[in-house]
Amino acid sequence: MARSLHTAAWRAFAMALLLSPAAVEAHAIESSLTRLQSLSESLMLESRFSNGEPTSDAVVRLVAPDGQSMELGRTDAMGQLSFALPKQAEGDWELQVDGGPGHRDYLEMPVESGQAQLDQISRHHHHGNPIVWLSALGATAMLLGVQRIRRSR
């Protein structure tokens, strides 16, 4: 019985590692923006996984400086989506690419007079949900505690 609890504790620990941000980074999304030549007001987002595969069918959102979010659409099979910023846009906007759990990219995009300042775009990371971390840590601690109780009997 003690051996099975020991095995369960190691499995819980392994799950905690798999759910960690390091595991997420192994298949991260890398996105870039370019201005379309034919339409100066339109932008082209290109998004790929770190292994080079296109991030197809990812939900793309644009978040205004005041926190209001608007869904722009989904990337195509090549990981691309063209869009235009609101004409009166100003300030720091955030572009979110959501390729599913653990597969997200966030670009901070300064905008002046409705034009994205492409040379000033920065990437920032939102780390995994702390509830996932706490749950994995709690499960591991619980299993290790149960193992100690059983050994002392």
Side-chain angles (χ1 to χ4, degrees):
M1 180 70 165
R3 182 163 173 80
S4 66
L5 285 174
H6 187 311
T7 303
W10 278 109
R11 284 184 183 157
F13 179 70
M15 283 301 291
L17 288 177
L18 288 173
L19 295 173
S20 72
V24 171
E25 291 297 320
H27 203 61
I29 293 178
E30 300 167 5
S31 303
S32 63
L33 279 174
T34 55
R35 197 173 315 279
L36 292 175
Q37 298 296 346
S38 60
L39 305 168
S40 64
E41 293 179 11
S42 292
L43 300 170
M44 174 65 76
L45 168 74
E46 183 172 352
S47 185
R48 297 188 170 278
F49 290 108
S50 56
N51 65 3
E53 292 178 37
T55 310
S56 62
D57 203 37
V59 176
V60 180
R61 292 180 198 87
L62 187 62
V63 181
D66 65 4
Q68 287 188 352
S69 175
M70 61 185 88
E71 191 169 310
L72 298 175
R74 291 182 175 270
T75 56
D76 62 17
M78 300 297 294
Q80 297 179 338
L81 176 71
S82 63
F83 66 96
L85 292 169
K87 292 193 184 297
Q88 304 305 321
E90 288 286 335
D92 291 332
W93 290 65
E94 182 178 82
L95 190 65
Q96 301 175 348
V97 181
D98 184 351
H103 299 104
R104 294 185 173 86
D105 197 10
Y106 303 87
L107 299 177
E108 193 170 300
M109 180 174 46
V111 178
E112 294 176 10
S113 303
Q115 295 290 311
Q117 306 304 302
L118 298 181
D119 59 335
Q120 297 176 30
I121 289 178
S122 64
R123 174 175 281 110
H124 62 277
H125 301 282
H126 292 266
H127 294 290
N129 188 341
I131 293 173
V132 172
W133 273 99
L134 291 174
S135 298
L137 183 62
T140 303
M142 182 186 76
L143 287 171
L144 291 173
V146 167
Q147 182 181 5
R148 284 186 182 175
I149 291 171
R150 297 224 185 241
R151 279 188 183 174
S152 66
R153 288 186 180 177

